[in-house]
Structure formats: structure tokens, C-alpha cells
Amino acid sequence: MNILDKIVADKRKEVDLKKLIFPPSQFEHSILFERDTFSLAQALRNSDTGIISEFKRRSPSKESINQNANVGQVAKGYEKAGVCGMSVLTDIKYFGGSIEDLILARASVQLPLLRKEFIVSEYQIIEAKAYGADVILLIAAILTKQEIKTFSELAKSLGLDVLLEVHNEDELHKSIMPSLDMLGVNNRNLKTFEVSLDTSKKLSKLIPNDFVKVSESGISSVEAIKELKPYGYEGFLIGENFMKTDNPGESAIEFIKNLKN
């Protein structure tokens, strides 16, 4: 059982427990449930930098990235830096995140917010909307084609953008459908945790231009982004690179300034 299998098994248990206490109908009474969302796909199309910053305390491959960060302050710093959107990890066990981080970020900024989560149930999509998300992440490696269709169509009916993440050609072929807004290529090999930008380059030509192309993982330099832009990528998810510093917002400001030069 690899790390992704473990995470998914734990996530299914977590969702089943939550359902016992909070039925999905309760989320629909949230004050945020009727709000108009911000489109990340549109923000990326209109941007010359395409940066999606991330709030992440730790990960399975790195025990501690930034355990002391305040999500509201970091979100404001990112907004000041001019990022297109912000990804918020909401997984507790493996990433040290929480659904509360999402709502605190929502209260702090007017940016498109991506709920970065291992979505295995429609329940989590309804929950994401109730807690202020604008975008959900669907991971092709853990979902069937039918689940991708069902989950993405539900998200679109709630006014949410959908970012579908793939790691290889097989995942990409089963995933392409009109209910997606963005196709993200994760440069990290989930079995070895090695990172290579070649994954994004190789898959770029297979992604139809109807979708915003996003490159994820291993993007730690301005050079990496300049290398990927000719392949049609408009979005670049940067997590650890900002979060490992004392002031993620300042790091983002500096990074974007260098990118524009």
C-alpha cells in the first residue's frame, strides 16, 4: 500500500464519521453557500504570471514545512503579492491542515481559494462550498472516470471551478471532459516522490486548449516557470517554496517581481 492508498483509506473513514454528525443538508444553510465564487481559471487566463500559492504546514515527504504560520496573515501576504489564487490544504493527518484554515483564509482575502483535499465523496464538495472554497481539486489517480464526471458536474452546479490533477498519460485520457476547467500535471512521482518537469512537458501536447494548463510540484524557481510557459502552461502551483520561509507573502512578492523582470 503506497502513501496515496493510505491517505485515501483514512479519508473515507474520516468522511463517514463526519456524515454521522453533519448531514450535507446542514452545509446548505451556511452563509457562504449562496455566495458568488471567484474563478481561478479566469484569473489564470488573465494573468501574466499565473502563480497559485499554497498554505501547507507539512506533508508526508516533509514532516515540518512551517508549523507556526497564521493562515490569515499568509493569505493577506499572498494577496498583496498579486497571486492568482491560493491553495489551502484541509487534510489533518498527513498535511496538518484543517477545514478551519479554509474559512479563515476566506475571511481574510478576496482571492480564488482552492480546497486542496483528497476528494472521495460528493459530501466534501458540498462542504467545500459551505466553507468558502471557489475551486476543488480532483485527483485522477484515486477516482474512476464516472466519479470524476459526477464530482465535477456537482461542483459546476455549485458554481465551483474544477482542477483535475493527473500524473501520467493514462490518467489524462480517462479524465478529459467538459465539466473541468483546469488540468493540472503533478510533476511528482507518487511512488518514488521524485520530481521532474519533464512530466509537464510530455503531457502538455495531450491537453486540449479548452482547459487551462496548470503545472504542480517541484516549481521552485522563476527559470522553471519560464521553461514551462512555451508548453502552454498558464498556472503554476507553488507550495513549499514560499511556505518554508519565515514570511511566505514576502517570498511571493520577491518571486513574482523576479518573474516579471
Side-chain angles (χ1 to χ4, degrees), residues 120-184:
V120 294
S121 165
E122 293 174 71
Y123 180 91
Q124 293 160 290
I125 300 167
I126 297 166
E127 182 183 46
K129 173 75 178 190
Y131 277 81
D134 302 286
V135 194
I136 58 154
L137 175 74
L138 297 178
I139 303 171
I142 63 173
L143 300 171
T144 64
K145 183 171 186 170
Q146 186 54 53
E147 284 174 326
I148 294 168
K149 185 176 188 294
T150 302
F151 294 171
S152 57
E153 287 177 354
L154 170 62
K156 296 310 296 174
S157 75
L158 296 174
L160 299 168
D161 271 7
V162 180
L163 169 62
L164 189 284
E165 175 181 298
V166 299
H167 300 84
N168 55 48
E169 201 171 322
D170 289 344
E171 290 176 9
L172 181 59
H173 285 314
K174 80 169 180 184
S175 304
I176 293 173
M177 55 187 76
S179 44
L180 308 176
D181 301 283
M182 297 160 281
L183 272 161

